[in-house]
């Protein structure tokens, strides 16, 4: 068995604190008191919003009285962007109205000026604990919502094929079937297709069940080229498009550290979609390259393509592209969502370019960490 390395989400990651104050001396004082954290600084509210929009901020410390945008206004804007964010308000004013306004805007804690450095460090430590609890509650709510939506989706997806099979069996038990009648044979073929579809749905459910635990990565040496070939060999979509040619441009890469199951899942979803949305004839081009510390897997098809306004939605939960505009889309709409989750867990990215009538290109970019690296 290959040696594995269990990497939990959040390991070796420094927490980031954003300090917002129009006085540079106050920002510097906070920075010195918060050793061990990644400290970012902003001199006003607009600058703070720009920094926060880039992501990765765990706690915000903001002054109240600042030019152009007050700390209370900034607090409201930040909470709109991320309700689980923890914001500590620094103020030299003990006015009841200011404190009430901050509380109404969902401030998480207060620190009085002049600053007590020990109090500052303690407040930030407490704020991070509070943020962890907020995120846990939010995750539980999201899981509950996901479970409800997923069960509703499953019942909807299973209802149509089960109804078709049931009606056919009722007719069969009532003697309404003639093996010499072309219509009867056609209906039997349709029922067989529905039964095969149910089998695929069950297989997809089992696959999602295996990979839904996104808490950590089990890193092991992996050959990306092998994962590409395995995805093609095990795909249910490739045999359904015998007229589609596969073209390869796979650079031979050494073994690199990845979570085999999660990256294999992501690659398979992208390849399956390329064939699923291809025309009866055409080609799918798959390339694998390495450029310095990055590996890039590109899968390009010549299929129907996706409208520009649809592209931002394709990685959302349960979203499915209906290129034929039939309203009857098969599958659960979770493949690309989890593919993006798993690629991001590795510190990589997945992007899609498409044009209606001209096909789609999906690119997975992953950091190339060799087994010899620390």
């Amino acid at each position: 068995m290959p040696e594995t390395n269990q990497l939990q989400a959040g390991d070796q990651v420094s927490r980031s604190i954003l300090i917002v104050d129009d006085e540079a001396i106050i920002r510097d004082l906070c920075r010195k008191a918060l050793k061990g954290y990644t400290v970012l600084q902003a001199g006003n509210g607009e600058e703070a919003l720009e920094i926060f929009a880039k992501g990765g901020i765990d706690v915000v410390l903001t002054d109240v009285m600042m030019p152009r945008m007050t700390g209370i206004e900034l607090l409201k804007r930040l909470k709109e962007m991320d309700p689980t964010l923890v914001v500590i308000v620094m103020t030299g004013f003990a006015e009841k109205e200011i404190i009430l306004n901050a509380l109404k805007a969902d401030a998480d804690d207060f620190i009085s000026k002049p600053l007590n450095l020990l109090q500052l460090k303690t407040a930030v430590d407490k704020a991070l604990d509070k943020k962890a609890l907020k995120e846990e509650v939010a995750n539980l709510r999201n899981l509950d919502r996901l479970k409800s939506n997923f069960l509703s989706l499953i019942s909807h997806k299973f209802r149509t094929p089960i109804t078709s099979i049931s009606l056919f069996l009722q007719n069969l038990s009532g003697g309404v079937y003639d093996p010499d009648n072309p219509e009867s044979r056609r209906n039997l073929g349709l029922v067989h297709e529905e039964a095969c579809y149910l089998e695929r749905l069950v297989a997809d459910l089992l696959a999602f069940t295996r990979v839904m635990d996104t808490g950590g990565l089990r890193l092991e040496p992996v050959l990306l080229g092998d994962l590409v070939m395995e995805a093609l060999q095990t795909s249910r979509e490739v045999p359904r498009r015998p007229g589609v040619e596969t073209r390869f441009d796979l650079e031979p890469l050494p073994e690199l550290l990845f979570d085999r199951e999660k990256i294999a899942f992501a690659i398979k979803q992208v390849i399956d979609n390329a064939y699923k949305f291809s025309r009866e004839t055409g080609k799918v081009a798959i390339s694998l390259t390495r450029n310095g510390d990055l590996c890039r897997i590109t899968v390009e098809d010549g299929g129907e393509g996706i409208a520009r306004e649809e592209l931002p939605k394709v990685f959302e939960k349960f979203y499915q592209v209906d290129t034929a505009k039939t309203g009857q889309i098969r599958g659960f709409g979770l493949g690309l969502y989890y593919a993006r989750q798993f690629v991001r867990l590795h510190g990589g990215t997945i992007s899609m370019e498409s044009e209606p009538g001209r096909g789609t290109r999906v690119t997975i970019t992953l950091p190339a960490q060799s087994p010899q690296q620390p």
Side-chain angles (χ1 to χ4, degrees):
M1 291 292 291
E3 182 181 354
T4 61
N5 176 24
Q6 183 74 23
L7 177 65
Q8 294 299 328
D11 282 357
Q12 300 179 340
V13 175
S14 175
R15 295 292 195 170
S16 295
I17 316 297
L18 174 59
I19 302 166
V20 190
D21 200 300
D22 57 324
E23 296 184 47
I25 190 170
I26 297 296
R27 300 198 304 270
D28 192 53
L29 190 65
C30 292
R31 180 185 60 80
K32 290 178 180 177
L34 297 173
K35 291 180 180 178
Y37 295 117
T38 299
V39 178
L40 293 86
Q41 302 182 33
N44 56 64
E46 284 92 347
E47 185 182 352
L49 289 173
E50 289 180 8
I51 294 172
F52 183 77
K54 295 176 182 178
I57 302 299
D58 296 296
V59 177
V60 175
L61 261 68
T62 180
D63 188 23
V64 172
M65 302 305 294
M66 295 185 295
R68 298 163 64 180
M69 181 187 296
T70 69
I72 305 299
E73 292 172 323
L74 174 62
L75 168 62
K76 292 177 181 178
R77 296 278 296 276
L78 290 171
K79 290 289 184 172
E80 288 173 359
M81 297 168 72
D82 181 4
T84 68
L85 177 69
V86 174
V87 180
I88 301 173
V89 174
M90 301 183 291
T91 176
F93 298 88
E95 292 184 14
K96 185 184 294 185
E97 185 178 352
I98 291 177
I99 294 175
L100 285 175
N101 287 336
L103 286 171
K104 287 178 182 177
D106 199 19
D108 295 281
D109 204 351
F110 297 88
I111 297 179
S112 300
K113 289 184 176 181
L115 295 174
N116 179 309
L117 299 187
L118 179 60
Q119 180 190 13
L120 175 64
K121 180 69 164 58
T122 302
V124 169
D125 290 341
K126 285 170 56 182
L128 287 169
D129 290 339
K130 186 172 184 178
K131 178 177 174 62
L133 288 173
K134 280 187 169 187
E135 290 175 342
E136 186 174 350
V137 170
N139 286 335
L140 288 173
R141 288 174 178 167
N142 287 336
L143 282 173
D144 191 54
R145 192 180 303 114
L146 172 61
K147 181 179 70 173
S148 177
N149 291 340
F150 195 39
L151 289 174
S152 174
L153 179 69
I154 289 173
S155 64
H156 174 73
K157 292 294 181 181
F158 276 72
R159 185 179 295 117
T160 300
I162 289 175
T163 300
S164 299
I165 294 172
S166 177
L167 287 173
F168 180 81
L169 291 176
Q170 288 177 37
N171 289 334
L172 190 62
S173 64
V176 185
Y177 179 75
D178 180 2
D180 296 324
N181 187 316
E183 183 68 16
S184 294
R185 291 199 299 272
R186 188 182 73 85
N187 289 336
L188 182 61
L190 291 175
V191 168
H192 179 261
E193 288 181 9
E194 294 298 325
C196 291
Y197 171 55
L198 280 176
E199 182 183 6
R200 291 197 297 273
L201 283 180
V202 172
D204 286 344
L205 279 175
L206 292 174
F208 288 132
T209 301
R210 286 197 303 269
V211 299
M212 275 182 180
D213 175 18
T214 60
L217 299 176
R218 295 189 63 84
L219 300 178
E220 60 180 285
V222 172
L223 290 171
L224 285 178
D226 286 355
L227 296 189
V228 170
M229 299 309 297
E230 288 171 13
L232 286 165
Q233 291 165 5
T234 59
S235 172
R236 294 191 303 259
E237 301 296 336
V238 173
R240 295 163 65 90
R241 290 288 187 271
V244 175
E245 176 191 357
T246 305
R247 296 185 181 178
F248 299 101
D249 182 13
L250 306 181
E251 181 181 328
L253 301 183
E255 287 187 330
L256 300 169
L257 287 177
F258 297 109
D259 184 311
R260 170 183 287 274
E261 188 172 34
K262 287 181 169 58
I263 291 302
F265 178 91
I267 292 173
K268 188 173 186 302
Q269 292 303 312
V270 172
I271 289 177
D272 277 353
N273 281 343
Y275 287 88
K276 182 178 180 179
F277 294 106
S278 285
R279 298 183 175 91
E280 294 300 321
T281 59
K283 71 176 186 297
V284 169
I286 305 173
S287 68
L288 170 61
T289 59
R290 179 173 179 176
N291 184 7
D293 293 333
L294 294 175
C295 296
R296 185 169 285 108
I297 304 164
T298 303
V299 180
E300 186 171 3
D301 66 69
E304 297 297 330
I306 303 169
R308 182 184 299 273
E309 61 271 17
E310 301 285 320
L311 285 176
K313 307 174 188 176
V314 295
F315 294 103
E316 294 178 3
K317 281 178 185 173
F318 309 125
Y319 185 79
Q320 295 170 287
V321 177
D322 186 9
T323 54
K325 307 298 181 185
T326 63
Q328 300 295 320
I329 313 170
R330 303 213 155 183
F332 294 112
L334 287 171
L336 286 180
Y337 169 78
Y338 279 109
R340 183 176 65 173
Q341 293 290 97
F342 298 156
V343 169
R344 285 179 170 179
L345 275 176
H346 286 79
T349 61
I350 180 169
S351 61
M352 180 180 292
E353 304 166 72
S354 190
E355 187 176 340
R358 303 193 65 178
T360 301
R361 179 192 296 116
V362 179
T363 303
I364 298 174
T365 302
L366 295 164
Q369 182 180 1
S370 69
Q372 291 74 32
Q373 289 179 267

